[in-house]
Amino acid sequence: MTGGIDIHAHWLPEELFALPPGAPYGPLRDRDGELHLGEVPLSIATRAMSDVTAIRADMAEAGVAVRVLSAPPFAFPVAGPAPDYVDAFNDSLAAVVADSGGALAGLGLVPLDDAAAATARLVGLASVPGIAGVAIPPLLGSESLDSGVLRHVLAECTRLGLAVLVHPMQLPRPEWAHHYLANLIGNPVETATAVAALLLGGVREALPRLRICFAHGGGCTPGLLGRWDHGWRARPDVRRDSARPPGEAVRDLWFDTVTHDPALLGLLAGRVGKQAVVCGSDYPFDMAQHDPLGFAASGGLDADTLTANARAFLGWAP
């Protein structure tokens, strides 16, 4: 296979631009070819999000052979029951993947309000060719990956052999209301919170076959592992639920390359191991890496290693 595998890219058909019921952000709108989330411009062309032809053109330009599509995070059903929306997205995703001749794969949506409903959708997704797993948020209300429905989803994905991509939602906070700080600070903090919950909550130890990847290089994680390790050794309450220090257990996870800084990407690879890093682009957002393979190379990661890692994360044969 020429090119690489991009495990982090987004797609949403126009008929689902209304977003799930109760979504914390307004509906997506096309205004003169530009995409808006409520009244907020997203600085991307509408067709970049919804048009498979545009996606394939970007792949060709970036040298990406396979792109794994997932819903943008504002389409996660975090506000309550949204079974029709989840099913409509998963059905549309399966059709797009089936039509792609192997160039596209998918990570579906899962209900987040009810464990039984989540299991039913996951069982269905596990039988769909080209659907490798699901994308989920790092936080759901006051819970993260070590409790509640999110923890249940991880257990069921492990049982069914599905991969999990954890993607932050850019949740608003008053102190992050300006300068895009909900993204620039909020997204990395959300993701690091989920990594810490997973490691310190003993989730990976309880689910040793779990295949889970964190977007944006794990957010703040690479810079916090030393602090987490110190806390784990110094405090019984920190290590209460985990048998290994975070800096050791983290090497069993995957992280994408979307770090925007070759030095940080090098730090990530040094802390988690090159075997744990996969190529991501974050297409089509303004924070995307437009040359994901070239950027990965600048951080010392070659395409063959990234492809092997992606196949391992997705559960595809070497």
Side-chain angles (χ1 to χ4, degrees), residues 33-46:
E34 295 294 317
L35 198 58
H36 286 64
L37 182 59
E39 300 303 314
V40 179
L42 294 181
S43 303
I44 59 174
T46 300

Side-chain angles (χ1 to χ4, degrees), residues 213-253:
C213 178
F214 292 86
H216 311 140
C220 304
T221 298
L224 292 176
L225 280 169
R227 186 174 183 84
W228 295 350
D229 277 355
H230 180 90
W232 189 89
R233 293 186 174 94
R235 295 183 58 93
D237 58 333
V238 174
R239 62 178 180 268
R240 178 186 58 213
D241 298 319
S242 54
R244 293 190 294 165
E248 177 184 322
V250 75
R251 299 177 72 87
D252 295 331
L253 313 178

